Structure formats: structure tokens, C-alpha cells
Amino acid sequence: MVDEKDDDRYFEYDDDDYMYDDDQEVDKSHKMFVECPHPNKVAPPAITVENQDPASTKFIWKIDNFLSMMDKEKHYSDVFFVGNYPWRVFMYPLGNRTDHLSMYLEVADWTTLQYGWSRSAQFTTCYLNSLLQTLYHIPYFRKAVYHMPTTESDMASGRSIPLALQTLFYNLQYNEGSVGTKELTESFGWNAHDSFMQRDVQELNRVLCEKLEDKMKGTLVEGTIQQLFEGHYMNYTECINVDYKSTRKESFYDLQLDVKGCKDVYASFDKYVEVERLEGDNKYHAGQPHGLQDAKKGVLFTDFPPVLQLQLKRYEYDVMRDTMVKINDRYEFPRQLDLDRECRKYLSPDADRSVRNLYTLHAVLVHSGGGNGGHYYAFIRPTLSEQWFKFNDERVTKEDINWALEEQCGGEGRYSNAYMLVYIRESDRDKIICNADVKDIAEPLRTRFPKEQVEKEDEEHKKKDELQGLKTLKVSFHHATKVNTDHLSIRLPKQSTVGDVINELKTKVELSHPNAELRFLEVFSQKISKILPPSEKIMHLNDQYWSGTLRAEEILEEEENLGPEDRLISVCHFTKDANGLKHFGEPFLLAVHEGETLDAVKMRIQKKLQVPDEEFVKWKFAYLSWMGRVEYLQDSDIDPNRFPRSNFGARERYLGLEHPSSMRFLHIRFHKLLRNQLSVITESDLRQCFPHQTLGE
């Protein structure tokens, strides 16, 4: 709530403002607005706190001479109490990596928090955030990470996963403020672009554990990964009419459970150990002297790990739509999981009967969204108490256990649901949920981390002072003579123009010839939404990954000298089904000349994309509007006047190429393939076309 009195600003907070459902469409954290103050003489700001009303627990932050606060990056309110905890408000008058005022509420003294409360973590990739928070809140695992030896060469290389994870865990546990993952992702070998790619959490978990397991060899913590996460099962084939049985033992760090067709975790385990009959035309070959035999085939577990990680198979490939789709079916998971149920039916007869396989739920990792993307967060019970917390990027909130469990089961109309469950065996809980404090950190790290933190803070202050008034743009540059794309960060004063960005790019990229000219585009949902004029101010550009991509490319020679009736049109690829239009592949610009028919344009497009005749005859061409209206064209049709006359500005109409998406490989970076006359499509090219599939499918 905002009240205005001359040039004063009042910020009033009610504790009810912060009790809301994170999944609601309305974001109450942005319910407070600030009007720009009238011009006034600059004077030191006077900040006062009105008396608190104990009945409603209100806090009012009064700011005199708001304009004078612009000379300092960050301002804090006085401390106030709500629910017996100290709070304070802080704000960035000039924005926190944004172009508008930013305000936050935080705990004033985090050292007073009860054991089990942890600092928030601000990660670029929310799926990585949820996984790291889960691993961090397994204290036995955290202690093992702290004890891993690191060397001076690890510190110098910047590519040590153990050191990066130690640093992250230490900062998360002991330092005030949010924690970034840049050092960790760089240790994976990721660049800035890689960090924005959503990845498979199960694969990431396995890679991370394998790397740590390898680094732990020969140390005091060797075998920790196996001790915590490794279980075993036995594949068997047993003949029915003769005495012959074949077995093979395998290990696992996590289990993939079917969701489709299963009502809960127990039903998935029933399906996992389901016996398959091999008979008739599908008899089992038992070798000599038995030959073909009727047999039964299945899986039984020989042992379960102390920490049981269950990956729920909420995604499947839809052949008809050529895409990954999410299964939002209701799927229940118990607070306590008894894997000894029904006479230990999931276990091999050889399994150790002295081990009681009763598990308690420790963490629920949630995905909110569809098959092609969304948001990830986690519900975790950090201690042996019954209190659950929600870890949603930089926000950590208390949650009711019923919300953590019941509301994450999915079902009709619910797109937020569990995709990974972490259970801890009851008999091992006291050992695993232990205290991990400063004495568990190796002495060299205990000395180095605080010193590094001070140096880092000093350096950040210097950088922020230097960067005041600057804007950073993430730009993808498409080469004229290379297959790869460069991903660059361009930092310029906010008053700079697109023309300034283009001039800066020319100093950083390799051009096909010294006099090459560039253009700057906005690409959204595989369509060119706008060609940006050189005069446009960069302060108005938005390069966040969810809103689109800024792309720079060379202007082709045929596009440089267009006639007054020629047009530079936007072309995109699409398929159409019952669910509407689906765009894919690389959009591009094409010069259409006065009087040119679609038949002539098609010939040029086929040549550009190098599409075989037998495939190209299946393609359809249409006018597409931004809202998705389709108007199919005949060979004699094309009217350049239906496209924008200017080479700059928004693109509201497109020439659409409708064809099967299985042909995507033919137009991967089409202009690059054309200019280089490449005869081989690389694995990297295929991954850009099929980001959600395993190569070879």
C-alpha cells in the first residue's frame, strides 16, 4: 500500500500480505507501487518508523526525499517484529538487475533462526536448484562433501566440481544472502547459454554423483555415495518345466517408476516386479540340453539403499505429435513407504531379512508446467521434526504437510505435481539427518572460505559501482560462414542504441568480409517477432530467456538493395494438428521481389533449405498471422503488399512452411548449411532439433 504526502513516501506492510499461495496468478510481492517523486532539491533522506500496531502487526516505512536515495544502491528499513521474528525491508531504488525499483522482505538476523532453517539459494536454473537443495539437506552427504580433499590446482582451474560444491554448501549454510551456482555450472563445463537449457534432473543427478564418487576414491569418505544411494536388484528368467534359472544382478542409484496406469507408489512397485510369461512363440532359449522352454521373467530387489530416490515417469514421447508430453494423472505417494509389505514381495528370497525396509518421506521435487518446460521447486523436511519447507529459488517458506503431499499428487486440471521423491529409511534416519557444522569442514577450507568471501564482496562492490547505469544484453550471433552460434554478453550504457550494439558486435565476432553489415532481431517461439531499427534504445529491450531471444546476423547481399516494391518477409516452419499450430526450427528472412509468384519463391526456398524434390512436394505454404490464422496459398499467389513495407519494426504476418517435423534436420541453421555446403549433419545439430529425445530414437 502506498500513501503520498508531498514528497514523502510511505510503505505499509501487513503480515497478511505475505500469506498467500505461490501458485496463484496474482503476485502479491509486486502489489506495492511507487510513483516518481516530483523534482526536488536533493537532501539526505530521512527514514522513520511509525509506531507498530500490535493488534494488526503493521509496519510503516516513511521515506523523506525519495529522490535523494538514488545515490546509494541499496537501502534497509529499521527492524520490526512479526510472529516473534525480526524482519526488515530493503530496496534498490534503481532496480536489482531490472529497470524498475526492486523491494524485498527478509529476516533481519538469520543467525537466530532455529536449526533446520537454511538460507535461500538463488539459482539460474530452477531444476538444478531443487536438486541441490535436496542434496544439501541430507547432512551426511553434506559432511562427506566437506571432507573431500581439494588442491591448489583445483582452485586455480575453476573446473573442480567438489570444490565448487563445497563452496556452494558452505555459503548456503554460513553466509547471509542468496547463493549463486555460477562456479558449479562452470565446473560442469557449461557456459552461460548452457545454464539456460533445461536438462533431465535424473541424468544430472547421476552425473554429479558419479563425479563425486570418483573424486572420493582413496579418501576418508570413499564409498559414501554407494552407502547412501546404491541399491541392487536381480533380473531373473526361470524355466517352468525344467530346473534352469538365469540371474543377473544390477545396481541403481535411483528407480524410475511408471505413473501412467498406476494410482500410487505401491502400484508402480507392483508393476516393477510384475512377472512376464515367456511361452508360445515367445519361449525362452535355455541352452543345451533344455532348448526352448516356457519360462517366467521378472525383477526382484536384493537390497534397498538408506536414501531411496524415486524418479516418476511423468513424461512420454507422443509419436503422432512428435513431441514430449507430460502425464498429469493423479499419483499418490505415502508419507511412510513400507517395502516389506505383503511378505516382502518386492524382495529376493536371498535379501537380508534383518533389514527393515520402512521409509519416511524426506523431499518432494515438483514440476509446474507442460511437456516442453516449466518451473521446478522442492518441498523438504530438513530435520527429524514434522515441519516442511518449500524451496522455490530464492524464497523459503514454511509449509503444511498436507500441502506438501496431497496437493502435489496431480490430477485433472493440475499441472503442478511431483516428479521425484526422496525417502530415508527409518533405521538410518538418525545417522543421515545428523548435525553438519563448522568442525566437519576440512581445516584448509575453514580458513579459506571466509577470506574469499570478504574478497568477493569487495570486488562485487567495485563492479557494481562501475556498472551503475549500464545494461547487459545476451545476444546470439549467427555466423555467415560457420555452423556454430556465438552467445555473447554486450554491456553498454542504458542510453545506447541498437546501432551501438551492432558496432560493438562487429568488434567481437568474425564476419564473412570486412564490410559486412548486421541486423538485430527479436525471435520468439521460433518466429521473428521484430527487426529492431538501429535507433532503438537498448533500455527498452528485454532479453530474458522466457520472453524471447535477441539475435544478430549478417545481411545477405541479395537483401541489401531492395526495390521500392520489394519486401523482406519473415518465414517460419510449422505443423498443424487438433491442438493448433506448433512452430519449430530456425525462422529466417527472405527477400520477395515485385511481381514474383509463390512458385518462384518456392524454388528459392527449396534451394536455400536443400530439400529433396520428393519431400518438398509435400510442403504447404500459407500466410500466417501473429494470432495463428492460416491462409493457404496456390503457386500463382503471393502479394508482397500483405507484408510490412519497412525493413524494421514488428512482424505481424509470416510466410509459413507447413511440413512434417520429422524433416526438421533439413533446415537446421539452413543459412549456415547452405553457405558452407555441408554434407554431414553433426550430433550438435540433431540435439538442437530434438532437445527432449535420446539420439538413436
Side-chain angles (χ1 to χ4, degrees):
M1 294 175 285
V2 178
D3 190 13
E4 182 176 348
K5 185 176 182 182
D6 298 328
D7 287 331
D8 299 344
R9 291 293 177 265
Y10 295 81
F11 297 95
E12 180 177 327
Y13 298 88
D14 193 310
D15 56 345
D16 289 338
D17 291 344
Y18 299 95
M19 299 173 64
Y20 60 89
D21 178 1
D22 285 328
D23 294 325
Q24 290 176 337
E25 292 184 6
V26 178
D27 184 359
K28 292 194 176 182
S29 65
H30 293 90
K31 68 183 291 184
M32 296 157 290
F33 299 91
V34 179
E35 297 178 10
C36 294
H38 301 297
N40 195 357
K41 60 181 181 180
V42 177
I47 302 177
T48 61
V49 182
E50 301 290 337
N51 292 332
Q52 290 183 224
D53 178 356
S56 60
T57 320
K58 289 184 177 179
F59 166 68
I60 299 175
W61 183 11
K62 179 182 176 182
I63 301 174
D64 296 323
N65 295 316
F66 184 82
L67 188 62
S68 65
M69 301 182 75
M70 301 299 179
D71 62 354
K72 188 176 178 182
E73 180 194 25
K74 189 175 182 181
H75 292 270
Y76 287 92
S77 75
D78 286 347
V79 174
F80 59 97
F81 284 81
V82 176
N84 296 322
Y85 287 99
W87 301 89
R88 64 180 174 180
V89 179
F90 66 95
M91 71 172 167
Y92 297 82
L94 296 177
N96 181 22
R97 301 190 185 96
T98 67
D99 294 328
H100 51 77
L101 179 146
S102 302
M103 297 193 70
Y104 303 88
L105 176 71
E106 72 169 4
V107 176
D109 184 3
W110 69 274
T111 60
T112 63
L113 294 178
Q114 301 173 12
Y115 174 75
W117 290 43
S118 73
R119 300 303 301 162
S120 59
Q122 188 174 24
F123 299 126
T124 304
T125 43
C126 51
Y127 69 93
L128 179 60
N129 177 4
S130 60
L131 175 62
L132 291 175
Q133 287 284 19
T134 303
L135 294 174
Y136 170 84
H137 284 101
I138 300 175
Y140 191 89
F141 175 83
R142 194 192 324 158
K143 289 174 70 170
V145 169
Y146 283 153
H147 280 287
M148 295 176 65
T150 53
T151 64
E152 291 294 332
S153 60
D154 290 329
M155 300 174 194
S157 70
R159 289 295 179 91
S160 169
I161 293 178
L163 179 59
L165 196 59
Q166 287 171 342
T167 304
L168 187 145
F169 280 1
Y170 178 89
N171 290 332
L172 198 58
Q173 186 167 357
Y174 292 108
N175 289 341
E176 183 175 1
S178 58
V179 179
T181 57
K182 182 179 179 182
E183 292 180 13
L184 182 63
T185 55
E186 286 180 348
S187 73
F188 294 162
W190 296 358
N191 57 29
H193 177 70
D194 294 329
S195 296
F196 283 109
M197 300 288 289
Q198 283 196 354
R199 300 168 187 272
D200 182 74
V201 174
Q202 182 186 30
E203 180 184 0
L204 179 62
N205 190 21
R206 288 179 177 176
V207 169
L208 182 60
C209 286
E210 287 172 2
K211 294 283 188 182
L212 295 176
E213 182 182 341
D214 183 61
K215 293 292 184 179
M216 288 178 178
K217 290 179 180 177
T219 72
L220 293 174
V221 290
E222 180 176 0
T224 299
I225 300 296
Q226 296 96 319
Q227 293 168 18
L228 283 175
F229 304 114
E230 187 177 57
H232 300 86
Y233 57 81
M234 178 184 68
N235 293 288
Y236 69 88
T237 306
E238 184 176 6
C239 294
I240 297 173
N241 301 315
V242 298
D243 184 18
Y244 182 85
K245 184 176 183 179
S246 172
T247 62
R248 185 179 74 255
K249 187 177 181 181
E250 295 187 34
S251 63
F252 65 88
Y253 282 168
D254 53 62
L255 293 172
Q256 292 193 61
L257 299 184
D258 285 332
V259 170
K260 196 169 186 177
C262 299
K263 70 172 186 176
D264 57 21
V265 172
Y266 287 124
S268 296
F269 269 98
D270 291 344
K271 190 173 182 179
Y272 208 101
V273 301
E274 199 171 55
V275 177
E276 179 186 359
R277 303 279 296 194
L278 304 179
E279 53 192 8
D281 293 336
N282 192 33
K283 287 187 176 183
Y284 174 65
H285 195 288
Q288 296 299 328
H290 304 300
L292 294 174
Q293 293 288 331
D294 291 340
K296 55 183 181 180
K297 178 182 179 182
V299 172
L300 287 173
F301 292 92
T302 55
D303 59 83
F304 292 108
V307 180
L308 181 63
Q309 301 179 106
L310 303 179
Q311 302 281 348
L312 307 184
K313 295 163 70 174
R314 284 207 174 269
Y315 301 92
E316 66 179 7
Y317 178 65
D318 188 321
V319 177
M320 299 300 295
R321 295 165 59 186
D322 186 28
T323 189
M324 297 298 292
V325 295
K326 185 180 177 185
I327 301 169
N328 290 305
D329 299 354
R330 180 172 177 79
Y331 183 87
E332 298 175 359
F333 44 93
R335 182 180 168 191
Q336 280 205 323
L337 179 66
D338 187 356
L339 294 179
D340 287 338
R341 67 193 291 259
E342 297 183 19
C343 301
R344 298 166 62 92
K345 68 176 183 179
Y346 305 132
L347 289 154
S348 163
D350 300 330
D352 186 352
R353 291 185 170 272
S354 68
V355 177
R356 178 73 173 97
N357 293 297
L358 179 65
Y359 288 82
T360 300
L361 188 64
H362 177 69
V364 180
L365 279 69
V366 177
H367 176 262
S368 178
N372 293 318
H375 182 55
Y376 295 83
Y377 50 91
F379 292 92
I380 303 173
R381 179 167 57 172
T383 70
L384 298 175
S385 74
E386 297 301 312
Q387 182 61 60
W388 285 76
F389 294 86
K390 180 179 180 180
F391 294 84
N392 187 6
D393 287 340
E394 71 273 12
R395 297 189 65 233
V396 181
T397 55
K398 270 186 175 182
E399 295 293 340
D400 180 76
I401 187 172
N402 294 324
W403 173 256
L405 274 63
E406 174 63 24
E407 297 301 320
Q408 312 311 319
C409 293
E412 185 175 355
R414 294 188 176 184
Y415 302 99
S416 295
N417 36 55
Y419 72 95
M420 179 177 171
L421 307 172
V422 180
Y423 284 90
I424 294 179
R425 190 157 51 201
E426 274 292 301
S427 58
D428 296 301
R429 284 193 73 203
D430 290 340
K431 175 183 176 182
I432 293 170
I433 308 299
C434 55
N435 286 327
D437 51 35
V438 70
K439 70 177 185 297
D440 296 304
I441 303 174
E443 180 59 34
L445 298 178
R446 208 183 310 170
T447 304
R448 184 171 62 85
F449 282 153
K451 181 181 176 182
E452 281 188 350
Q453 186 64 25
V454 172
E455 294 173 350
K456 184 177 180 181
E457 289 175 357
D458 290 343
E459 186 63 27
E460 286 179 350
H461 286 311
K462 292 178 183 177
K463 287 183 179 179
K464 287 177 181 178
D465 290 340
E466 294 171 2
L467 297 179
Q468 192 72 17
L470 301 184
K471 183 177 177 71
T472 301
L473 298 176
K474 295 183 286 291
V475 181
S476 298
F477 177 71
H478 291 204
H479 287 271
T481 56
K482 289 185 178 180
V483 175
N484 62 299
T485 297
D486 285 346
H487 301 279
L488 304 100
S489 290
I490 304 297
R491 182 179 292 124
L492 291 171
K494 291 180 180 179
Q495 295 298 324
S496 301
T497 64
V498 167
D500 296 325
V501 177
I502 289 174
N503 290 334
E504 182 72 10
L505 279 169
K506 288 181 178 180
T507 68
K508 295 178 177 291
V509 299
E510 183 179 342
L511 302 175
S512 61
H513 59 90
N515 297 322
E517 293 298 327
L518 305 182
R519 62 174 158 238
F520 212 52
L521 315 171
E522 279 185 356
V523 178
F524 183 78
S525 297
Q526 284 76 50
K527 302 190 297 293
I528 295 171
S529 59
K530 189 176 183 181
I531 304 176
L532 298 165
S535 60
E536 182 153 343
K537 299 285 188 181
I538 67 170
M539 68 171 66
H540 304 306
L541 302 183
N542 190 348
D543 65 342
Q544 299 298 327
Y545 70 94
W546 58 82
S547 63
T549 301
L550 294 178
R551 185 170 103 185
E553 62 185 22
E554 286 191 27
I555 299 175
L556 301 180
E557 184 177 350
E558 65 184 52
E559 301 166 356
E560 289 182 346
N561 299 305
L562 298 179
E565 299 302 323
D566 296 340
R567 294 289 188 275
L568 190 62
I569 68 173
S570 297
V571 186
C572 61
H573 304 267
F574 76 99
T575 59
K576 186 179 179 184
D577 58 22
N579 296 309
L581 297 185
K582 177 183 175 184
H583 296 276
F584 59 88
E586 286 287 351
F588 58 95
L589 295 170
L590 182 73
V592 175
H593 305 293
E594 181 182 6
E596 192 173 21
T597 63
L598 176 61
D599 193 42
V601 171
K602 286 168 63 175
M603 293 177 62
R604 290 200 288 125
I605 291 177
Q606 182 181 9
K607 182 179 179 181
K608 275 181 177 279
L609 302 186
Q610 299 181 344
V611 185
D613 291 341
E614 62 271 19
E615 295 293 339
F616 196 71
V617 295
K618 304 174 187 176
W619 288 29
K620 297 179 181 179
F621 291 72
Y623 289 124
L624 298 183
S625 70
W626 177 257
M627 300 302 293
R629 190 167 64 87
V630 180
E631 182 182 342
Y632 289 101
L633 301 172
Q634 302 299 320
D635 284 356
S636 59
D637 296 339
I638 200 165
D639 181 5
N641 291 318
R642 301 185 69 171
F643 296 94
R645 178 181 296 274
S646 172
N647 288 345
F648 301 108
R651 308 283 103 174
E652 298 179 354
R653 184 173 288 273
Y654 305 86
L655 177 62
L657 313 180
E658 182 182 9
H659 56 96
S661 55
S662 59
M663 293 293 293
R664 292 182 192 180
F665 70 91
L666 289 173
H667 50 74
I668 302 166
R669 304 281 189 252
F670 78 94
H671 49 292
K672 299 172 186 174
L673 296 176
L674 170 67
R675 292 163 181 163
N676 288 278
Q677 296 295 312
L678 297 177
S679 58
V680 178
I681 296 173
T682 67
E683 178 179 324
S684 175
D685 294 327
L686 290 172
R687 289 197 182 280
Q688 294 181 51
C689 291
F690 303 99
H692 302 291
Q693 292 159 238
T694 302
L695 294 183
E697 290 182 346

